[in-house]
């Protein structure tokens, strides 16, 4: 069974930094798209940053020049470096990967359980 596990969330003051990590485990043949989303209370889940299938990176306008998404060469671990954090960045952050479990299977989306990021003013 595929699992995505996030880590690195916590409480930080405005202007500070956090580094989130996402580790995928289980039977994985191939990984395609990968990304980070977040959800604040009362709001819909929104894209923070992601890799396209071509390896390009896409960022939400609100986090450009502050957040950096990265991954290892195996595409089993992904990170989100968050700098100059603001109170409005407070949310539960989720990682997601598009994973094919077998060589003849299909890609399906998998999500982590989420990690809380709280930025105090």
């Amino acid at each position: 069974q595929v699992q995505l596990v996030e880590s690195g969330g916590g409480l930080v003051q405005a202007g500070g930094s956090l580094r989130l990590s996402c580790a995928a485990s289980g039977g994985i043949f191939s990984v395609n798209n990968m990304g980070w989303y977040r959800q604040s209370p009362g709001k819909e889940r929104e894209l923070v940053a992601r890799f396209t299938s071509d390896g390009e990176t896409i960022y939400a306008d609100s986090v450009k020049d502050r957040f950096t998404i990265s991954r290892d060469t195996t595409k089993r671990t992904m990170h989100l470096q968050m700098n100059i954090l603001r109170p409005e960045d407070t949310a539960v952050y989720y990682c997601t990967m598009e994973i094919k479990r077998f060589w003849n299977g299909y890609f399906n989306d998998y999500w982590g359980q989420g990690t809380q990021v709280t930025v105090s003013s």
Side-chain angles (χ1 to χ4, degrees):
Q1 186 72 11
V2 171
Q3 276 192 317
L4 303 185
V5 178
E6 298 109 337
S7 61
L11 173 64
V12 65
Q13 287 189 331
S17 299
L18 283 174
R19 179 178 170 85
L20 304 183
S21 296
C22 174
S25 62
I28 298 172
F29 176 78
S30 179
V31 180
N32 196 15
N33 295 308
M34 309 167 68
W36 290 92
Y37 287 72
R38 67 186 181 187
Q39 188 167 21
S40 304
K43 294 186 178 181
E44 293 188 353
R45 191 172 296 188
E46 63 176 1
L47 171 71
V48 177
R50 71 179 182 92
F51 287 100
T52 68
S53 56
D54 296 329
E56 300 294 320
T57 54
I58 295 175
Y59 293 91
D61 288 342
S62 60
V63 307
K64 277 182 183 176
D65 301 323
R66 299 189 298 124
F67 291 10
T68 303
I69 189 172
S70 63
R71 64 186 178 188
D72 69 356
T73 55
T74 67
K75 295 185 181 179
R76 299 295 186 269
T77 304
M78 179 171 61
H79 305 284
L80 184 68
Q81 178 65 43
M82 306 185 295
N83 298 327
I84 318 176
L85 283 161
R86 304 167 179 167
E88 52 264 40
D89 294 319
T90 295
V92 177
Y93 284 70
Y94 299 90
C95 66
T96 180
M97 297 185 185
E98 192 178 27
I99 293 171
K100 180 189 291 189
R101 297 197 62 200
F102 308 102
W103 69 271
N104 59 345
Y106 298 94
F107 281 101
N108 289 293
D109 291 329
Y110 292 83
W111 293 82
Q113 80 287 354
T115 184
Q116 177 70 46
V117 171
T118 303
V119 184
S120 63
S121 58

